[in-house]
Amino acid sequence: MASSLRIFTAALVVIGDEILSGRTHDKNIAQVATWLQIQGIRLKEVRVVADDTDAIVEAVNTLRARNDYLFTTGGIGPTHDDITVDAIAQALGVPAMVHPEARAILEGYYETRGGLTEARLRMARTPEGASLIPNRYTGAPGIRSGNVFIMAGVPSITAGMLDALSGELEGGSPLLSETVGCWVGESEVADLLRETEKAFETCQIGSYPFWAEGRTGANFVIRSVSADDLAACTRAMVDGLAAMGRPAVPGGI
């Protein structure tokens, strides 16, 4: 579904007091970002918010308005503090309801697992008018409402939901990258980085310094949606470093 050089963007809202408390270390940001890049969609912003309705509503309405897509993870389970569906329904200005297809899926899944209790039925609730994202692990589906995608917080379940969405979203050209390493301090190459990026307007250069083997170095990651521009910008970086007497290390250090 890739089309032209138009950049499609997404934001991610990670929901959960357990993330903010430090008890749980989030693993979804990296996998969502990686998956989006493959789809030709650029992750532009991530917010982590508490299990608080007002915070979720504000984040959802702000980020869905300025991006092509918004993803959320967490807060769609069976317990009283799983308020994501209600909060997003409020943000969208629609009621929350028991989705009949989701109910049928859960009835089948729990038929031999103790039945569909009231708590488990909470996982069939969606904003009115939403469609479902398949979940091959636990039956409880993810939810799509407009450009908002509501997914589980458990990383393995999130991965399955992303897999079910692969190829379903419109995206642009994937963001390509090359890495160049060099034993050099950032301050020594600040002008080179600025001038090289200015000369190649379709490219971005990120600088990532480190200290190893008793000396200072940096890896420079060049990114672009154009393979030709990426190659030319990378050559310019390598040549510029060589001119300073600082040989580049292809692929990074």
Side-chain angles (χ1 to χ4, degrees):
M1 288 190 174
S3 61
S4 73
L5 294 181
R6 149 116 150 79
I7 296 175
F8 287 76
T9 67
L12 171 64
V13 179
V14 179
I15 300 167
D17 293 337
E18 71 278 6
I19 302 295
L20 291 168
S21 72
R23 287 195 306 272
T24 300
H25 294 179
D26 179 80
K27 297 180 181 179
N28 282 321
I29 294 174
Q31 74 167 345
V32 170
T34 300
W35 180 85
L36 286 169
Q37 183 169 324
I38 294 170
Q39 309 306 307
I41 301 166
R42 192 171 305 180
L43 182 61
K44 294 288 286 184
E45 185 171 355
V46 177
R47 288 198 195 181
V48 182
V49 301
D51 293 305
D52 175 85
T53 296
D54 290 342
I56 297 170
V57 168
E58 192 279 330
V60 166
N61 278 336
T62 298
L63 297 179
R64 73 185 177 99
R66 66 184 183 212
N67 291 279
D68 296 293
Y69 306 108
L70 172 65
F71 291 78
T72 72
T73 60
I76 60 172
T79 60
H80 71 285
D81 59 342
D82 287 311
I83 62 171
T84 296
V85 168
D86 295 276
I88 293 180
Q90 182 176 322
L92 299 177
V94 299
M97 55 165 282
V98 174
H99 194 291
E101 184 182 348
R103 179 176 189 140
I105 291 170
L106 289 170
E107 285 176 341
Y109 181 81
Y110 286 110
E111 183 177 4
T112 59
R113 296 176 173 87
L116 185 59
T117 64
E118 284 300 312
R120 290 166 172 172
L121 185 60
R122 285 178 55 81
M123 295 186 290
R125 298 171 72 251
T126 72
E128 186 177 67
S131 57
L132 304 180
I133 303 170
N135 170 10
R136 63 176 180 262
Y137 292 105
T138 65
I143 303 161
R144 176 177 184 173
S145 187
N147 71 335
V148 179
F149 298 81
I150 308 166
M151 301 185 298
V154 178
S156 60
I157 299 176
T158 303
M161 292 179 178
L162 291 171
D163 185 57
L165 288 172
S166 292
E168 296 295 316
L169 307 186
E170 184 177 9
S173 298
L175 188 63
L176 308 173
S177 69
E178 292 284 355
T179 301
V180 173
C182 187
W183 294 106
V184 66
E186 278 189 307
S187 61
E188 299 177 62
V189 293
D191 290 342
L192 173 63
L193 296 176
R194 182 176 58 254
E195 293 303 318
T196 304
E197 189 173 83
K198 184 178 179 181
F200 296 90
E201 295 183 354
T202 66
C203 298
Q204 301 85 44
I205 304 174
S207 178
Y208 305 95
F210 60 86
W211 176 264
E213 300 178 18
R215 50 182 175 161
T216 298
N219 285 312
F220 308 107
V221 180
I222 304 103
R223 301 180 177 92
S224 179
V225 296
S226 166
D228 290 342
D229 291 351
L230 176 64
C233 185
T234 302
R235 284 195 300 270
M237 272 295 300
V238 171
D239 292 345
L241 290 168
M244 298 173 61
R246 300 286 191 170
V249 179
I253 299 172

